[in-house]
Amino acid sequence: MPAPYLTLKTVVEHETEARRSRFLCALAPARTVGEAAAFIAERRREHADATHNCTAYVIGERVQKGDDDGEPGGTAGTPMVQALVGRGFSDVVAVVTRYFGGTLLGAGGLVRAYGSAVTETLDRAEPVRMVPARLVRVAVAHDQAGRVENDLRASRHAVREVAYAGEVTFAVAVGDDEVATFTDWVATLTAGRARVDLGDALHVPA
């Protein structure tokens, strides 16, 4: 059963320090592994002179990956992933850039430094709560399509796509708890002439 989660709208940055080592954390929304990889590559280019650029991302309910980028195994990427998951975030990528300050932190110190770099940056973010939804397809005759499209776009539900064929089909993202009400509304709007089919599960902003 899909569960609600938190994500971000924009990039958030924050710098922390541990024994003179600087830890610059950048968080960004990432709906796919490709988006996460692109953000990571951009940060690594921007901070090519850093000692380490450690990374983590959580995509959907199943994809979680961390990269220690030369730090001792499990001391950077893993605590970064755990910080994101522990706060209930998904579809997010984190890059923590370290500029070494001359003092070794030890494994425990690194775990704390990288984990807290992410959590302190999350503290400064404005999270977006995403709730389970369904992609509902509404098919109507061409003579009803104009009015139906206007009313759909004026509603609180996002129209994801419109397909024109023998009839016009609108793909609309509707929160799970609103599907029944939405279906009834469409039936009233079209005098029962619309065909409504439930499609893929997804998430929408609360």
Side-chain angles (χ1 to χ4, degrees):
M1 189 74 173
Y5 66 88
L6 300 175
T7 193
L8 299 174
K9 266 189 180 177
T10 58
V11 176
V12 184
E13 292 188 47
H14 176 62
E15 184 174 323
T16 56
E17 186 177 312
R19 294 189 183 179
R20 295 195 300 276
S21 277
R22 295 170 55 216
F23 293 85
L24 178 60
C25 179
L27 304 174
R31 291 176 297 175
T32 65
V33 172
E35 289 182 8
F39 183 74
I40 290 168
E42 175 190 328
R43 296 294 296 185
R44 284 182 168 163
R45 279 194 303 271
E46 188 176 339
H47 296 281
D49 61 334
T51 316
H52 303 280
N53 283 290
C54 301
T55 64
Y57 55 78
V58 180
I59 311 291
E61 296 181 341
R62 294 182 177 84
V63 180
Q64 300 177 5
K65 185 174 181 182
D67 183 353
D68 298 314
D69 192 36
E71 293 281 31
T75 62
T78 297
M80 289 167 64
V81 169
Q82 290 171 342
L84 294 173
V85 173
R87 291 290 187 92
F89 278 80
S90 186
D91 294 351
V92 170
V93 57
V95 180
V96 176
T97 298
R98 181 188 183 188
Y99 288 94
F100 184 55
T103 303
L104 296 175
L105 299 182
L110 288 171
V111 168
R112 285 190 296 275
Y114 280 100
S116 63
V118 174
T119 55
E120 288 188 31
T121 307
L122 289 173
D123 287 342
R124 287 156 175 77
E126 292 186 16
V128 179
R129 187 169 185 267
M130 304 292 287
V131 297
R134 294 293 290 273
L135 195 64
V136 181
R137 298 190 183 279
V138 178
V140 298
H142 284 265
D143 64 342
Q144 287 190 308
R147 180 189 168 199
V148 170
E149 180 167 7
N150 287 340
D151 285 359
L152 284 173
R153 293 195 183 280
S155 75
R156 64 187 303 274
H157 308 295
V159 177
R160 295 293 180 91
E161 60 184 55
V162 182
Y164 296 89
E167 53 192 0
V168 182
T169 303
F170 303 95
V172 187
V174 181
D176 277 356
D177 59 350
E178 298 179 276
V179 170
T181 302
F182 176 80
T183 302
D184 290 344
W185 176 71
V186 169
T188 301
L189 178 65
T190 62
R193 291 171 59 194
R195 189 178 74 255
V196 177
D197 298 306
L198 298 186
D200 296 340
L202 67 161
H203 283 78
V204 296

